[in-house]
Amino acid sequence: RTPRVHDEDSRLLVMFEGSAAVIDRATRDLRSALGKCGIAETMLFDGTAAASVLQDTIDAYIEPVGDRSITYRSTGLPSTIWPRAMAACEIVRECGAPCDVIADICTGDAIVRIASSSAKNAADLLPGLDARLRSALPTMSVLAGDPRLRALVDAWAGVPPTLETLRAIKTRFDPSAILAPGRYVGGL
């Protein structure tokens, strides 16, 4: 089954890199493919404007929506972005909250922002939602969000097998354990 997105607010942001000829050809091919799918409107950005649009898009997802949003990142292979993003959105919607997604095919990151209708609703919803997300997507970690919401869940995506090495390094450089105690993965 192929999930389909039918949402007026959906956006596709594509960044091409390479020689001018490669970029021109890729742009024509993409616009043609989008036109065949019924998407007639496209906007082109070049140079520093393109970098600015990309950064603004990423910043918009990380920026908290008042005190009622949290943003997760699921890491993995680029080929698994769509299934991971759709699985996360399905879980979020089953819990009664909306979600926004960025899928970065270069890094394999699926970024999911969850924004509840109110801070109280978000605080009530988050612990159960977090457990379901991490059960389905073990690489889910908290990327950004309101500090009160972040305090309700573990920010990290599980404990790495190198935890003892990390602990030894932290002890070596912070023998008094005064630098951000307990705030890193595994409670370091």
Side-chain angles (χ1 to χ4, degrees):
R1 179 181 133 207
T2 303
R4 295 177 187 258
V5 176
H6 296 286
D7 186 351
E8 292 178 13
D9 292 332
S10 295
R11 303 282 187 269
L12 173 66
L13 179 65
V14 178
M15 187 167 97
F16 294 119
E17 294 180 320
S19 69
V22 168
I23 291 171
D24 287 343
R25 176 61 189 240
T27 301
R28 280 194 311 272
D29 290 348
L30 178 63
R31 286 182 125 179
S32 175
L34 292 172
K36 289 176 184 174
C37 293
I39 302 170
E41 183 180 338
T42 58
M43 297 173 67
L44 299 177
F45 299 96
D46 200 4
T48 57
S52 177
V53 167
L54 178 63
Q55 190 59 52
D56 288 349
T57 302
I58 293 168
D59 289 348
Y61 278 80
I62 295 173
E63 182 67 30
V65 179
D67 55 358
R68 58 189 179 83
S69 75
I70 193 160
T71 303
Y72 285 88
R73 177 177 63 201
S74 171
T75 58
L77 295 173
S79 60
T80 67
I81 288 174
W82 187 249
R84 283 184 287 122
M86 291 300 98
C89 281
E90 186 173 324
I91 291 167
V92 172
R93 289 186 181 126
E94 285 173 1
C95 290
C99 72
D100 300 312
V101 176
I102 291 179
D104 185 337
I105 61 172
C106 290
T107 65
D109 289 349
I111 301 171
V112 179
R113 182 178 63 190
I114 302 157
S116 189
S117 58
S118 69
K120 181 181 179 343
N121 190 31
D124 292 343
L125 176 75
L126 189 57
L129 177 58
D130 181 77
R132 288 188 64 195
L133 282 171
R134 290 174 193 254
S135 174
L137 301 160
T139 64
M140 234 357 146
S141 61
V142 175
L143 185 60
D146 181 75
R148 289 173 294 221
L149 292 178
R150 290 180 69 164
L152 297 174
V153 297
D154 183 10
W156 304 100
V159 178
T162 58
L163 181 62
E164 290 311 311
T165 303
L166 292 170
R167 193 177 312 280
I169 292 170
K170 174 130 171 58
T171 301
R172 173 84 167 121
F173 290 99
D174 182 22
S176 301
I178 59 172
L179 299 174
R183 299 186 98 178
Y184 192 57
V185 65
L188 286 179

